[in-house]
């Protein structure tokens, strides 16, 4: 089964609004990452948050991690039309041979 | 420029044919990965390699093969045994494959279509 599952599946907002995307996972992790994918392109890494961190910021991005609830959220503030893309959370899992498992992604549309 | 390149951008496969997708990185990364992405889906791991001359199967390795003869290169062959190869293939690399997966850097992808 998928380790990370994003919610909602799709999100449409007006430019300037904030966008909040959520990710839930099932097993203990070392870290959780968020990636962005423009249509037909490769993924671009946005931010990595480790299991001992609760919040991390990068520019207009804020990521939180709640290991007790096995969930994370990605907040994009003051969204722009250029933020339109698919966003994926990816988790590893504690233990040997850790690898990234990606969710199905959230499609974000920012209307000008 | 440092990064990952994939070629070709589009690839057409005839039935019964093996095709090879190229992935090259000049980031000096030890680990490399191949993923498959189907429409509206996340990425599924096909194969990964932690070091030269070593690789392991991912979640959907059947019908695929890889080699890792050089640190910078990790080609993927889609064999005729892969009955549903139409997908978007992404190659990635990371600095290390230790405890805790590190940031992965992705190539632009190859779209494989079946004639």
């Amino acid at each position: 089964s998928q380790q990370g599952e994003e919610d909602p599946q799709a999100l449409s907002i007006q430019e300037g609004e904030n966008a909040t995307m959520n990710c839930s996972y099932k097993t203990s992790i070392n870290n959780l990452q968020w990636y962005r994918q423009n249509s037909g392109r490769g993924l671009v890494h946005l931010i990595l948050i480790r299991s001992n961190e609760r919040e991390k910021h990068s520019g207009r991005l804020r990521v939180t991690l709640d290991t007790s609830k096995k969930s994370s959220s990605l907040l994009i503030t003051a969204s722009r039309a250029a933020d339109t893309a698919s966003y994926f959370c990816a988790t590893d899992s504690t233990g040997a041979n850790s690898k990234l498992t990606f969710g199905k992604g959230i499609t974000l549309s920012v209307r000008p | 420029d440092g990064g990952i390149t994939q070629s070709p951008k589009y690839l057409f496969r005839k039935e019964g044919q093996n095709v090879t997708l190229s992935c090259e990185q000049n980031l000096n990364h030890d680990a490399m990965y191949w993923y498959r992405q189907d429409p509206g889906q996340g990425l599924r791991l096909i194969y990964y390699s932690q070091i030269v001359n070593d690789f392991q199967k991912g979640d959907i390795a059947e019908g695929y093969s890889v080699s890792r003869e050089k640190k910078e290169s990790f080609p993927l062959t889609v064999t005729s045994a892969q009955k549903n190869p139409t997908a978007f293939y992404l190659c990635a690399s990371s600095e290390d494959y230790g405890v805790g997966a590190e940031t992965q850097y992705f190539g632009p992808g190859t779209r494989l279509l079946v004639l």
Side-chain angles (χ1 to χ4, degrees):
Chain A
S1 61
Q2 211 99 16
Q3 166 72 320
E5 294 188 7
E6 297 96 342
D7 165 61
Q9 290 187 349
L11 182 60
S12 181
I13 60 174
Q14 200 73 33
E15 203 166 27
E17 294 179 340
N18 295 342
T20 299
M21 291 169 269
N22 302 299
C23 172
S24 60
Y25 57 92
K26 294 183 172 59
T27 62
S28 296
I29 61 172
N30 294 300
N31 63 53
L32 182 145
Q33 304 181 35
W34 285 92
Y35 288 81
R36 165 196 169 125
Q37 184 181 35
N38 286 80
S39 182
R41 309 291 292 273
L43 275 69
V44 174
H45 178 259
L46 295 176
I47 201 162
L48 182 155
I49 186 165
R50 301 200 185 275
S51 60
N52 61 354
E53 299 174 311
R54 291 295 166 258
E55 187 170 313
K56 215 165 176 182
H57 296 255
S58 177
R60 294 184 295 113
L61 305 180
R62 181 173 78 99
V63 169
T64 61
L65 179 64
D66 187 335
T67 53
S68 66
K69 294 181 179 178
K70 292 186 170 59
S71 67
S72 172
S73 67
L74 170 66
L75 170 67
I76 303 175
T77 60
S79 64
R80 306 165 182 169
D83 293 328
T84 295
S86 293
Y87 292 81
F88 295 88
C89 75
T91 54
D92 64 5
S93 57
T94 56
N97 294 326
S98 177
K99 60 187 180 184
L100 277 181
T101 302
F102 288 82
K104 294 185 178 181
I106 297 170
T107 301
L108 173 65
S109 298
V110 181
R111 303 185 300 274
Chain B
D1 284 339
I4 301 181
T5 57
Q6 290 186 242
S7 63
K9 188 172 181 179
Y10 295 96
L11 186 57
F12 298 91
R13 192 191 93 163
K14 295 179 182 177
E15 198 167 332
Q17 185 182 42
N18 293 354
V19 293
T20 298
L21 285 62
S22 170
C23 177
E24 303 277 332
Q25 55 100 357
N26 62 4
L27 300 169
N28 200 33
H29 285 170
D30 286 316
M32 297 187 74
Y33 314 82
W34 273 107
Y35 294 94
R36 169 180 172 141
Q37 186 178 31
D38 292 282
Q41 300 294 312
L43 279 64
R44 291 185 290 169
L45 184 64
I46 304 172
Y47 269 97
Y48 61 97
S49 169
Q50 297 171 245
I51 201 166
V52 175
N53 293 321
D54 183 62
F55 51 82
Q56 281 82 40
K57 293 181 179 180
D59 300 318
I60 55 164
E62 186 173 350
Y64 301 97
S65 65
V66 294
S67 63
R68 186 85 187 277
E69 297 175 1
K70 297 187 294 182
K71 187 175 186 178
E72 58 270 23
S73 179
F74 192 39
L76 173 74
T77 297
V78 184
T79 74
S80 57
Q82 173 49 246
K83 298 306 179 189
N84 183 23
T86 297
F88 190 49
Y89 290 86
L90 288 160
C91 179
S93 70
S94 66
E95 282 190 12
D96 189 23
Y97 198 94
V99 176
E102 297 300 324
T103 297
Q104 292 188 10
Y105 298 82
F106 283 80
T110 292
R111 191 164 299 280
L112 176 60
L113 299 165
V114 177
L115 293 176

